[in-house]
Amino acid sequence: MPGWGNFILKGIDYDRSETLRTVRHIFRSLWVYYAIMNNKFEVEIKSENLSLLKNILNKIYQYNSEIFPLLLLFHDIGRPFNKEWHTFESANIIKQNSLLTKFQLSLEQQLILYGAIKYHLLPGTIYTGESSYYGAISIFNDKDLRILWQSTEDISIFFHILNAFTLVDIWGYDYSKIYDHYFRNYDKIRLNLSDIFNKTKSFEFEERSFALFNALSNLDKNNLKWRISCALRIFQFIETSPDLTIDLYFSKVDEALAQIGINWNIFAKSLEDKHTFIQFKYGLPLVMLLASGSFKREPINHEDKIDPKLFYFWQTCCEKVSFHLKDIKIPRAWNFIFGLPRGWFFKKEYMNYIRSEQFLKDLRKISSKYDPNFDSYFVNFKLDI
């Protein structure tokens, strides 16, 4: 694999432990892919769901036999050098060193692979509530990829690749588990994004940007309660037992809001629709801790309650989004990055700080900055206790 090994060696020199973790993940992901393709992947998933995934992978294979293995091989190559933004780091390494030109890919296929590497976290983070649907505006605004959004075929294969990759990528960690409802919900995300990009493909750029803004932000308005409920891991455990219904999770949100004397409509209105622009980087443990006081990988109990700190956190983040929608036609995304060490959510001093009033006070003090390279705003909150 030309060029790949050189950057693995550089990664070992730069951050040995992160590189070795990355290599293990990459090769496990490749093993999962080939096991599925050879009908040798044994997993507790309904056969029709695994067959559906294999059919998508076969469709991608027919499009180009190399593109999916190359995606798995290169998607995390930048992780040792920049963990928070490893998707962009991987894409930059590939672009600056022309790594994709060494394979049997057309220019269009190179762009699709490059884009899939650069944005490979998007479907997964939309599902877990860390990203919004509006986060997809970054794909559209990416000048390197703009030619892809004129073709129905390119749009379809791009989002099929992202969808299939997200599932294989999860299985690429030996501690991760996928449930049957993942397939339906990830496919819903794929269909939503494909449909919006396809319906607007005949528009001029500015008109299309505005149409995408409206369509994606409307999806986010309808998805907000799910996004809030992700602090209870609704994405993972919903429907895994008869009692874990969407109504149960949503009722927990309503009960917690009632504790502070408001209802869902009042809370949603207090966010002023600014939640659609907020993208969290590795924010799931943080919202889980705010909601329940601990980082749990188990489903909720009927007795569990949400701490209102979760709602105050969302309101504070929306306060940081400082523009007014009436004053700007196409808003940019806002990236919230919380600089925390590995495993911080098991350390008492960090847990106590995140749940303190001081945390939100400190968050309000952080200045946001516009980054032209990402064409978005950043709120960098570095924590060093």
Side-chain angles (χ1 to χ4, degrees), residues 6-7 18 55 65 82 100 111 116 158 173 189 195 243 257 263 291 314 336 352 378 381 384:
N6 291 337
F7 283 96
E18 191 63 47
N55 289 339
S65 61
N82 187 344
L100 300 186
L111 287 177
F158 181 82
Y173 296 98
I189 292 171
D195 186 53
D243 61 318
L257 287 169
N263 60 32
W314 271 97
F336 284 71
N352 289 340
F378 282 76
F381 194 169
D384 187 16

Side-chain angles (χ1 to χ4, degrees), residues 238-368:
I238 188 172
E239 299 175 359
T240 55
S241 67
D243 61 318
L244 293 174
T245 63
I246 193 168
D247 288 339
L248 173 64
Y249 283 96
F250 284 6
S251 71
K252 294 294 180 183
V253 174
D254 292 332
E255 289 170 8
L257 287 169
Q259 292 177 42
I260 55 176
I262 61 174
N263 60 32
W264 173 256
N265 290 333
I266 292 173
F267 170 69
K269 188 175 181 180
S270 75
L271 303 185
E272 298 179 339
D273 293 335
K274 292 180 179 179
H275 57 88
T276 191
F277 311 116
I278 292 175
Q279 322 297 318
F280 295 123
K281 290 296 176 185
Y282 304 103
L284 187 58
L286 191 145
V287 294
M288 288 176 62
L289 185 64
L290 288 167
S292 62
S294 63
F295 180 73
K296 299 190 299 183
R297 291 193 174 97
E298 301 90 33
I300 61 170
N301 297 312
H302 283 265
E303 300 77 24
D304 289 345
K305 296 185 183 299
I306 295 179
D307 192 316
K309 287 185 178 70
L310 176 66
F311 307 123
Y312 300 141
F313 169 73
W314 271 97
Q315 288 172 332
T316 301
C317 289
C318 287
E319 289 169 11
K320 303 296 294 181
V321 181
S322 57
F323 58 76
H324 295 283
L325 293 180
K326 64 181 181 180
D327 298 329
I328 188 165
K329 194 170 184 181
I330 309 297
R332 300 306 183 218
W334 288 64
N335 297 288
F336 284 71
I337 305 167
F338 297 93
L340 292 156
R342 185 180 293 277
W344 69 267
F345 39 84
F346 295 124
K347 297 177 181 177
K348 189 174 181 179
E349 62 272 28
Y350 285 97
M351 293 171 64
N352 289 340
Y353 172 68
I354 294 298
R355 291 181 55 76
S356 71
E357 294 295 326
Q358 190 62 43
F359 168 63
L360 293 183
K361 289 179 180 178
D362 291 343
L363 178 57
R364 291 187 183 99
K365 296 175 186 176
I366 303 295
S367 299
S368 56

